[in-house]
Amino acid sequence: MKEQLRNIEEKARDAISSVTDLRALDDLRVSLLGKKGELTAILKQMGKLSAEERPAMGQLANRVRATLEQLLSEKNAALHSAAQAARLGAERVDITMPGKRPAAGRLHPLQIVENEVKEIFLGMGFSVVDGPEVEYDYYNFEALNLPPDHPARDTQDTFYITDNILLRTQTSSVQVHVMENQKPPIRVISPGRVYRSDAVDATHSPLFHQVEGLVVDKGITMADLKGTLEMLMRRLYGDDCKIRLRPHHFPFTEPSAEVDVMCFACHGAGCRMCKGEGYIELLGAGMVHPKVLEGCGIDSSIYSGFAFGLGLERIVMRRYNISDMRLLFENDMRFLEQFR
Ligand code: PHE
């Protein structure tokens, strides 16, 4: 029996030292010390021993049991810390490695230029106002001195929602909202989307953007209009930029002008970019028609004003040398990523 116990201890030492994972160690523990284990089997035979032999043998058996328990628990601790070390090693983070750059969005070129235009006008004491894109006929046409039979109301150009509700065709509608709600002095710009039933091509889109400007005060003249627009264009295109006013007609301004900006490619000489003109048309403008002022409750014998409406797409296309307007609306990331 003594032999058997020694044997068990020997075998167990080898087995425990060669175990490499916790599950195998647990199986081993059960097979050594469990109810059906080898040691238990031997202890059950103690009854067969004589009274003299029994205490010594009992002692030996207990010692072997204690030894095995000790070895098992040491091994258990060793395997645990090895497993932990392995996990920490695997999870180690190299804090010197360069991080992944989060994919940041960019501003759309239209937004970049709109922000710039806003900054320029804020610097001149203007405030920025917003107006509805779904609009009453009254604000888009009638209050702007466009009578019901005016060709601009043609369903060819205007998206009508009902007989008297439409998608605004110009930001000039905001002029009327502003003058209804605010008395002079008025100095506002209003950037936003406008809609016209145009077929899509390189220079047309049924949705485009305008920036409306409106100044109403005592003694406002055409010189204020020209000075303001000159300042805008110089800030946008550089100090040597020149503008030119050509007589034109808008129902809601009198006199009216179309404003051209000197071609940057040829500086006025005439080239392919400006189709030989030397200048490029950028916006419509004029002195606010007295009828429009009066319609909004502003006394036109005391106050005068100027207004302008510029197409944002044109400015963006000139600025970045973009030849096809569709590029601005297709939202191809390869295109949009180029702008800052
Ligand atoms: N609303 C006009 C257009 O869309 C532009 C304009 C605005 C003209 C203000 C004069 C004054 O063509």
Side-chain angles (χ1 to χ4, degrees):
M1 186 167 242
K2 223 174 178 172
E3 268 310 296
Q4 273 181 303
L5 283 168
R6 291 248 159 78
N7 236 341
I8 287 175
E9 188 180 330
E10 256 338 83
K11 261 172 48 198
R13 270 184 197 280
D14 288 350
I16 291 170
S17 78
S18 62
V19 159
T20 55
D21 71 272
L22 285 162
R23 176 181 286 248
L25 185 68
D26 199 52
D27 290 345
L28 188 58
R29 183 183 58 75
V30 171
S31 77
L32 290 172
L33 306 177
K35 275 198 187 115
K36 289 176 185 156
E38 293 176 55
L39 198 60
T40 313
I42 291 186
L43 290 177
K44 277 181 187 154
Q45 292 167 30
M46 293 281 269
K48 292 179 190 157
L49 295 176
S50 65
E52 299 89 68
E53 281 176 311
R54 218 176 284 160
M57 211 46 84
Q59 239 175 11
L60 182 61
N62 279 336
R63 221 204 63 226
V64 169
R65 181 178 190 95
T67 305
L68 294 189
E69 275 171 353
Q70 170 80 11
L71 289 172
L72 284 165
S73 103
E74 278 167 10
K75 185 71 183 188
N76 187 46
L79 285 177
H80 262 297
S81 64
Q84 173 141 341
R87 213 177 64 227
L88 288 178
E91 289 174 0
R92 176 183 276 124
V93 175
D94 179 356
I95 57 166
T96 66
M97 224 153 82
K100 274 188 199 158
R101 237 168 236 293
R106 297 237 176 134
L107 292 179
H108 191 280
L110 280 165
Q111 192 64 56
I112 294 174
V113 173
E114 183 184 313
N115 290 350
E116 226 171 281
V117 170
K118 279 187 196 165
E119 276 308 315
I120 294 169
F121 279 105
L122 287 171
M124 289 195 274
F126 283 66
S127 42
V128 180
V129 296
D130 213 1
E133 289 173 32
V134 178
E135 189 55 282
Y136 288 109
D137 180 288
Y138 177 79
Y139 289 94
N140 195 77
F141 291 133
E142 205 166 320
L144 292 168
N145 196 27
L146 277 122
D149 56 355
H150 196 282
R153 290 174 167 233
D154 200 314
T155 45
Q156 292 267 308
D157 297 320
T158 307
F159 289 112
Y160 279 94
I161 288 168
T162 67
D163 276 353
N164 73 332
I165 296 176
L166 45 80
L167 296 181
R168 67 179 179 190
T169 62
Q170 49 187 357
T171 46
S172 298
S173 54
V174 185
Q175 287 185 34
V176 183
H177 288 289
V178 170
M179 287 190 281
E180 276 183 350
N181 294 315
Q182 195 182 326
K183 292 304 142 206
I186 292 169
R187 229 184 275 153
V188 295
I189 58 162
S190 185
R193 296 188 189 102
V194 298
Y195 302 85
R196 288 183 202 178
S197 177
D198 277 328
V200 175
D201 66 26
T203 54
H204 291 86
S205 160
L207 177 159
F208 57 103
H209 297 74
Q210 289 186 332
V211 180
E212 193 77 9
L214 174 69
V215 170
V216 183
D217 204 349
K218 289 176 182 156
I220 297 293
T221 71
M222 202 95 181
D224 298 307
L225 169 62
K226 189 169 184 218
T228 304
L229 292 176
E230 230 160 35
M231 172 66 102
L232 169 68
M233 294 309 168
R234 284 194 187 146
R235 294 287 304 276
L236 280 176
Y237 294 118
D239 276 342
D240 60 344
C241 179
K242 288 200 175 67
I243 62 168
R244 170 175 94 175
L245 271 63
R246 269 183 297 108
H248 197 70
H249 172 261
F250 295 105
F252 38 93
T253 48
E254 181 59 36
S256 302
E258 269 190 335
V259 182
D260 303 337
V261 64
M262 195 175 72
C263 176
F264 335 98
C266 65
H267 289 270
C271 69
R272 212 167 54 100
M273 263 266 278
C274 55
K275 300 191 183 93
E277 289 283 324
Y279 279 80
I280 291 155
E281 185 209 320
L282 272 191
L283 58 125
M287 301 307 291
V288 182
H289 199 295
K291 266 197 189 170
V292 175
L293 291 174
E294 296 292 340
C296 298
I298 293 173
D299 189 338
S300 64
S301 69
I302 300 173
Y303 294 105
S304 58
F306 69 77
F308 59 85
L310 60 97
L312 207 54
E313 278 77 4
R314 276 198 189 167
I315 296 188
V316 172
M317 288 166 75
R318 292 283 156 239
R319 153 71 68 87
Y320 296 115
N321 237 320
I322 298 166
S323 54
D324 193 324
M325 198 194 279
R326 286 169 287 203
L327 289 165
L328 293 174
F329 298 113
E330 279 166 358
N331 289 336
D332 185 330
M333 290 300 287
R334 292 167 301 182
F335 172 74
L336 294 176
E337 271 172 2
Q338 302 174 67
F339 304 95
R340 289 178 183 280

